[in-house]
Amino acid sequence: MSIEFKNVNYVYSPGSPLEKKGLDNINFTIKENKFITLIGHTGSGKSTLMQHFNALLKPTSGEIKIAGITITPQTKNKNLKELRRRVSLVFQFPEAQLFENTVIDDIAFGPKNFGYTDEEAKELAGKWLEKVGLPAEVATKSPFDLSGGQMRRVAIAGVMAYQPDVLCLDEPAAGLDPQAKAQMMQLFLDYQKEGHTVILVTHNMDDVAEYADDVLVLEHGKLIKHGSPEEIFSNPSWLKEHYLDLPTATKFANQLTNYDFAETPLTLNQLVQGISKNVKE
Amino acid sequence: MDNIISFSNVSLTYPEAKRPAINNISFNIKKGSWTAIIGHNGSGKSTITRLINGLLIPDKDSDTIIEVDGIKLSDDTVWQVRDRVGIVFQNPDNQFVGATVADDVAFGLENRGVPREQMLDIVDKSIANVGMMEYKFAEPSNLSGGQKQRVAIAGILAVKPQIIILDEATSMLDPNGRKSILSLVRKMQAKNNLTVISITHDIDEAEKADDIIVLDDGVIIDQGAPETIFKQADLIEKIGLEEPFIYRLMTKLRENGIDIPNKIKSQEELLEYLCQLNLKM
Amino acid sequence: MSKIIIGRYIPGDSLIYKMDPRGKLLATICFIFFIFLANNWITYSITVFFSIVAILATRLRIKVLWDGIKPLIWLIFFTSLLQLFFTTGGTTYWQWTIFTISSYGLTNAVYVFIRFTLIILISTVMTLTTMPLEIADAMEWLLSPLRLIKVPVDKIALVMSIALRFVPTLFDQVLKIMNAQRSRGADFSSGGLIKRAKAIAPLLVPLFISSLETAIDLSTAMESRGYRGSQGRSRYRILKWSKYDLYNLSYFVLLVGLLLVFRTH
């Protein structure tokens, strides 16, 4: 199965003086069960696109196929529950969505909404509490007594607990310290390897290089490029033209003027291998 | 160089907390320097900023002294100290007091009773200094996070402080916003001979500081130049941070049998060395 | 959420925009009182004429003004109908149990309708042409005599301006939390009253927490930027009277004068 966008347009406040094009004729097909990254500047339409994945926004025109469900401008709000169970979004700073008295109840909120019984929901919640790396004793605590980083984990557990087919995350590691971030990225990578689609909205090109199978680049509501990280980062002048950064390793490699890399290194490991090859030959 | 800030034997215990957030710390910060305070979330970094300008009062102890620009901090001097210290906080929205850019920049001046005629002039100059003149009458809801942080900086510079503290001021910005804020502060530091203290877990930012203070669970575990701090991989690991890119690269290269001299401590030096190395072969 | 009247300022540069907010606020308040001077066809016609001229002077599209009245239209009709059916006197045209339609009732209904509509129109003219912040400034000026009896007018004004400044931030926050909870399967729009009331907790709790955080952050920022109460503060934003306010005043005095001359004594 695949995620398909066909001629998708979205217009904010149509007919009013504030009318603004959010998405401009977006077309792409991506295979599911991949790690996908979505990049572009603030205001490029990333978050508008993301909200189309589970029909928080419906296209003004065009058609979307995702997780076996089709979304059109005519899609009724009533029929969205199944879509939202299969496709879930994690917004930036998701700790802002916590509200229950206890951590376990908060994680169980989503599963309960999507038809699990109370016991099942609690059981899932307990399991995911552990998976996101929190100790079991926080289950009965108020989420508001936790540290910011722990709250973030609770919020993410609350979305992963009903195991959506497609998990879309907007800068999930923003503001976390590097070790917490690395753990979290590993969690998403494992989830993808288990057979789910992960879509990561990010500004961090190192993450794109490290994790992505497929990259979507947005600018002014248009999809300006779609390809593998190798394809995206192989053209520094094109990136510069669109004010996009290169991964740190690539930038470094490009400054090693008298080195010859068979393939442009995107990650630290590739860079080390490339340097070794050059030096030892 | 003179010290502009000195802490000796300072502790702080929040009400109802079991352990002190800051435990008997002493340090000096040199005038005109750029000091980075690093540590994981909850290590007490932000508590220090609030102690510097008297937003928090240290635990009572006869040995405790906080001195800012030669003034010993006390109830009587707290407003003098606040005239000398400007803080840019993390959340761009929550520190924007005024209804428009101009109003916000004027806020600090109004508080100090600066006559209106002078204020008009200072406000314009400060806004121009941070490159926001075309937004002078803009409301905060129409500005990006980076633009709001620029306004915050303008508002601080308007009252001519000696010290500017960036309290994770770039952690909620995208990479372009982050870069532009840091280069703006660098420019302002040179122009106005400011002392900058940057609380951060952006390690690449800390690497460019003159001096680094490493905090762990409310205790200073090291203070020194970036190269002496980042050489200690175990120390960086212990506080939950990641070494800067070039240090990770050097470690990996050494693991791959490429000899990298210990004296190398910047990206430029490493690039030069590696290029040389490839020539010899 | 877009139907909120407050802060529905529409930028423009016609005559009305150039007037001082204090004058506009005062004129609006006085208008609400002086309209009661009108008590016959002539005086009502004069008031209608003056109001139409004022509305035209804004150079705003009529639709925008209509949007201002629309939410209240049923209330206006209802009040007029009460007048129509319950006023007695003059010639009685129709009667049924307690309901009467009389010539007095008919006139009164029309008068009430005109009065109500004009008051709303004129208030809308004020809010459409004056930034909320300016209205807050004008209110501070209007309240300033209360300083004499130790009312902290400056503080109230600061609170008002900060509250206005955070309205858009709050709306953003509501939208964000709603989207997040919807993604977790929350449903804000269906079910009975109790179900809907329950559905609101996932929205209200986070909103309350984030507002509290904002308030704490804001007070920390204000204090570190040297705010220590209103004593000794100077002001950046000031209001200045201009010739346009003289137009405003003369226009208003002319209206009141005409009403006084032509009203039935």
Side-chain angles (χ1 to χ4, degrees):
Chain A
M1 264 198 303
S2 52
I3 301 174
E4 249 180 273
F5 271 58
K6 255 191 252 160
N7 308 320
V8 172
N9 285 286
Y10 183 77
V11 181
Y12 280 103
S13 340
S16 86
L18 298 168
E19 182 176 311
K20 205 184 125 215
K21 206 146 204 191
L23 292 181
D24 193 351
N25 199 27
I26 303 275
N27 283 289
F28 65 81
T29 305
I30 35 184
K31 287 226 172 66
E32 293 196 341
N33 304 343
K34 296 275 181 196
F35 203 111
I36 297 147
T37 55
L38 183 55
I39 60 176
H41 294 290
T42 310
S44 61
K46 281 178 302 178
S47 89
T48 311
L49 183 65
M50 169 176 165
Q51 289 177 52
H52 278 76
F53 290 143
N54 74 349
L56 284 173
L57 295 177
K58 278 171 278 180
T60 311
S61 67
E63 191 185 280
I64 299 163
K65 279 191 191 136
I66 188 165
I69 294 172
T70 305
I71 308 164
T72 65
Q74 287 76 36
T75 301
K76 292 268 178 337
N77 279 333
K78 276 188 184 158
N79 312 326
L80 294 179
K81 205 142 211 177
E82 187 52 27
L83 170 67
R84 294 198 176 143
R85 191 185 68 73
R86 294 191 204 170
V87 181
S88 205
L89 307 193
V90 177
F91 290 90
Q92 251 185 57
F93 304 106
E95 54 276 25
Q97 74 198 29
L98 304 179
F99 73 99
E100 280 283 10
N101 291 326
T102 64
V103 166
I104 201 89
D105 283 342
D106 210 291
I107 301 176
F109 177 70
K112 272 195 270 187
N113 283 331
F114 291 121
Y116 290 92
T117 64
D118 281 14
E119 288 93 71
E120 285 167 345
K122 287 246 162 112
E123 203 186 303
L124 279 172
K127 181 179 137 196
W128 280 90
L129 183 76
E130 197 191 311
K131 279 206 171 198
V132 297
L134 287 171
E137 62 261 28
V138 303
T140 50
K141 280 194 182 169
S142 159
F144 304 110
D145 286 340
L146 306 182
S147 74
Q150 290 177 318
M151 283 169 80
R152 176 80 55 93
R153 286 165 201 251
V154 173
I156 286 174
V159 172
M160 295 180 80
Y162 46 89
Q163 304 182 50
D165 301 337
V166 180
L167 176 67
C168 179
L169 310 124
D170 188 358
E171 292 280 2
L176 294 183
D177 44 44
Q179 273 179 16
K181 183 193 154 180
Q183 285 170 5
M184 204 155 260
M185 294 303 295
Q186 191 56 48
L187 176 74
F188 303 141
L189 193 62
D190 291 345
Y191 191 69
Q192 182 250 324
K193 296 265 187 280
E194 281 164 25
H196 304 96
T197 310
V198 172
I199 305 174
L200 181 74
V201 181
T202 185
H203 285 115
N204 188 325
M205 298 304 164
D206 290 348
D207 288 347
V208 176
E210 192 76 41
Y211 302 104
D213 297 315
D214 222 347
V215 188
L216 298 169
V217 189
L218 282 185
E219 186 183 82
H220 304 309
K222 287 197 175 84
L223 182 67
I224 56 167
K225 200 142 192 166
H226 173 202
S228 67
E230 290 76 18
E231 287 166 302
I232 302 285
F233 295 125
S234 64
N235 191 346
S237 60
W238 182 86
L239 289 165
K240 203 164 185 191
E241 213 174 289
H242 297 279
Y243 303 99
L244 294 166
D245 240 341
L246 281 167
T248 319
T250 315
K251 265 192 269 183
F252 192 90
N254 289 347
Q255 291 180 66
L256 291 168
T257 40
N258 61 346
Y259 279 66
D260 190 22
F261 296 105
E263 267 174 38
T264 316
L266 301 181
T267 62
L268 182 62
N269 285 334
Q270 292 171 4
L271 178 63
V272 172
Q273 280 163 18
I275 293 176
S276 308
K277 245 190 186 159
N278 270 280
V279 173
K280 285 171 185 169
E281 265 165 19
Chain B
M1 263 193 293
D2 301 335
N3 291 327
I4 194 160
I5 293 177
S6 74
F7 269 47
S8 53
N9 308 313
V10 179
S11 296
L12 182 117
T13 313
Y14 284 105
E16 289 169 47
K18 286 178 209 119
R19 294 182 306 132
I22 289 291
N23 198 352
N24 195 32
I25 62 169
S26 306
F27 64 88
N28 295 314
I29 287 176
K30 289 198 181 74
K31 195 174 168 123
S33 68
W34 182 301
T35 303
I37 303 182
I38 61 172
H40 60 79
N41 284 331
S43 59
K45 292 176 302 193
S46 286
T47 307
I48 292 189
T49 57
R50 285 158 172 78
L51 283 165
I52 294 175
N53 80 344
L55 288 169
L56 291 171
I57 298 161
D59 297 346
K60 274 222 153 44
D61 188 315
S62 53
D63 292 341
T64 297
I65 298 172
I66 297 176
E67 226 175 62
V68 178
D69 196 23
I71 302 166
K72 204 176 156 224
L73 186 66
S74 71
D75 280 354
D76 303 324
T77 58
V78 67
W79 296 104
Q80 271 171 276
V81 168
R82 281 179 199 167
D83 283 347
R84 284 160 175 78
V85 183
I87 308 182
V88 187
F89 293 94
Q90 181 178 25
N91 189 324
D93 237 317
N94 295 358
Q95 58 188 308
F96 203 112
V97 186
T100 67
V101 168
D103 286 288
D104 190 63
V105 173
F107 182 72
L109 298 165
E110 292 179 318
N111 291 335
R112 289 163 177 86
V114 175
R116 185 162 183 276
E117 302 75 56
Q118 289 177 31
M119 199 148 44
L120 293 174
D121 193 42
I122 301 172
V123 167
D124 279 6
K125 273 190 192 145
S126 311
I127 298 175
N129 257 331
V130 300
M132 288 289 290
M133 213 50 192
E134 62 178 301
Y135 298 98
K136 188 181 166 189
F137 301 109
E139 294 173 26
S141 52
N142 298 322
L143 300 178
S144 71
Q147 288 173 325
K148 280 177 217 167
Q149 294 302 61
R150 277 175 181 266
V151 175
I153 292 168
I156 284 166
L157 293 178
V159 298
K160 296 201 168 23
Q162 312 273 317
I163 300 156
I164 182 161
I165 301 177
L166 306 176
D167 189 353
E168 299 194 35
T170 61
S171 71
M172 286 174 82
L173 307 182
D174 61 31
N176 288 330
R178 189 171 306 153
K179 266 188 245 164
S180 87
I181 290 298
L182 288 174
S183 74
L184 175 69
V185 176
R186 289 241 172 242
K187 213 171 89 192
M188 294 298 141
Q189 182 195 22
K191 197 171 160 190
N192 304 315
N193 193 24
L194 292 167
T195 306
V196 179
I197 301 172
S198 169
I199 311 271
T200 182
H201 40 227
D202 179 349
I203 217 72
D204 295 310
E205 185 202 323
E207 198 207 330
K208 296 187 182 84
D210 302 315
D211 198 26
I212 296 180
I213 293 175
V214 186
L215 214 58
D216 189 31
D217 291 329
V219 184
I220 292 180
I221 55 172
D222 205 349
Q223 177 173 9
E227 55 268 27
T228 54
I229 302 288
F230 292 129
K231 253 194 303 207
Q232 313 168 56
D234 50 332
L235 174 88
I236 300 303
E237 163 113 33
K238 179 175 179 241
I239 57 170
L241 297 185
E242 197 178 38
E243 290 170 282
F245 178 77
I246 61 157
Y247 290 86
R248 275 185 290 148
L249 178 59
M250 287 192 284
T251 312
K252 288 243 169 166
L253 287 173
R254 285 184 192 121
E255 281 170 13
N256 274 268
I258 298 173
D259 185 39
I260 310 281
N262 268 326
K263 63 171 203 284
I264 289 183
K265 53 191 179 194
S266 74
Q267 173 151 334
E268 290 71 37
E269 286 168 17
L270 183 60
L271 279 168
E272 205 190 313
Y273 175 78
L274 287 172
C275 284
Q276 291 270 329
L277 195 66
N278 209 23
L279 280 182
K280 275 183 228 159
M281 295 288 142
Chain C
M1 252 168 271
S2 57
K3 290 196 186 87
I4 294 277
I5 300 281
I6 192 170
R8 258 184 56 79
Y9 166 77
I10 297 181
D13 62 352
S14 59
L15 186 67
I16 309 259
Y17 282 91
K18 295 189 177 109
M19 292 174 180
D20 190 286
R22 291 169 294 181
K24 280 192 270 187
L25 181 64
L26 215 53
T28 309
I29 294 170
C30 292
F31 181 82
I32 293 167
F33 288 108
F34 284 113
I35 196 170
F36 286 92
L37 284 176
N39 60 358
N40 56 26
W41 291 112
I42 304 174
T43 41
Y44 268 102
S45 309
I46 293 173
T47 323
V48 170
F49 176 77
F50 269 69
S51 306
I52 289 175
V53 172
I55 289 164
L56 292 179
T58 61
R59 302 234 186 129
L60 288 168
R61 285 182 304 148
I62 299 303
K63 187 182 171 298
V64 197
L65 286 148
W66 168 239
D67 285 343
I69 304 183
K70 214 164 42 184
L72 293 166
I73 196 80
W74 294 111
L75 190 63
I76 300 176
F77 274 121
F78 181 69
T79 326
S80 304
L81 285 180
L82 285 185
Q83 292 291 331
L84 181 65
F85 288 117
F86 293 105
T87 315
T88 50
T91 328
T92 305
Y93 300 118
W94 177 85
Q95 197 167 16
W96 180 70
T97 60
I98 53 164
F99 300 102
T100 325
I101 294 184
S102 66
S103 58
Y104 276 20
L106 211 55
T107 351
N108 260 346
V110 176
Y111 286 172
V112 164
F113 181 81
I114 295 176
R115 200 155 64 210
F116 211 146
T117 312
L118 289 186
I119 287 176
I120 293 162
L121 277 176
I122 293 297
S123 319
T124 313
V125 164
M126 200 228 8
T127 53
L128 287 178
T129 62
T130 320
M131 279 195 284
L133 184 70
E134 291 180 321
I135 299 179
D137 285 344
M139 282 168 79
E140 182 190 2
W141 174 78
L142 218 58
L143 293 173
S144 55
L146 297 179
R147 282 197 186 107
L148 292 176
I149 54 165
K150 300 259 154 77
V151 177
V153 177
D154 312 83
K155 275 188 192 150
I156 296 174
L158 188 67
V159 168
M160 276 200 296
S161 85
I162 289 175
L164 285 171
R165 177 241 163 290
F166 274 94
V167 169
T169 312
L170 206 65
F171 278 149
D172 279 355
Q173 198 62 27
V174 172
L175 201 65
K176 212 186 116 184
I177 297 168
M178 268 176 109
N179 274 338
Q181 308 298 33
R182 276 200 186 116
S183 295
R184 292 211 275 169
D187 189 351
F188 297 108
S189 51
S190 67
L193 202 61
I194 294 172
K195 201 178 157 210
R196 281 198 198 194
K198 265 191 176 166
I200 208 106
L203 182 60
L204 279 190
V205 175
L207 193 62
F208 180 75
I209 302 249
S210 83
S211 305
L212 203 67
E213 268 168 18
T214 301
I216 293 170
D217 283 358
L218 192 67
S219 65
T220 309
M222 284 172 71
E223 205 181 331
S224 76
R225 292 176 68 181
Y227 181 74
R228 50 199 295 198
S230 41
Q231 256 182 354
R233 285 193 94 220
S234 52
R235 307 257 337 219
Y236 177 72
R237 172 184 293 278
I238 55 161
L239 298 169
K240 272 200 195 115
W241 297 109
S242 69
K243 63 176 180 192
Y244 300 104
D245 302 302
L246 220 55
Y247 301 159
N248 185 0
L249 181 70
S250 359
Y251 191 68
F252 196 77
V253 170
L254 184 66
L255 169 66
V256 175
L258 288 172
L259 290 183
L260 286 172
V261 173
F262 289 102
R263 75 190 298 261
T264 317
H265 294 278

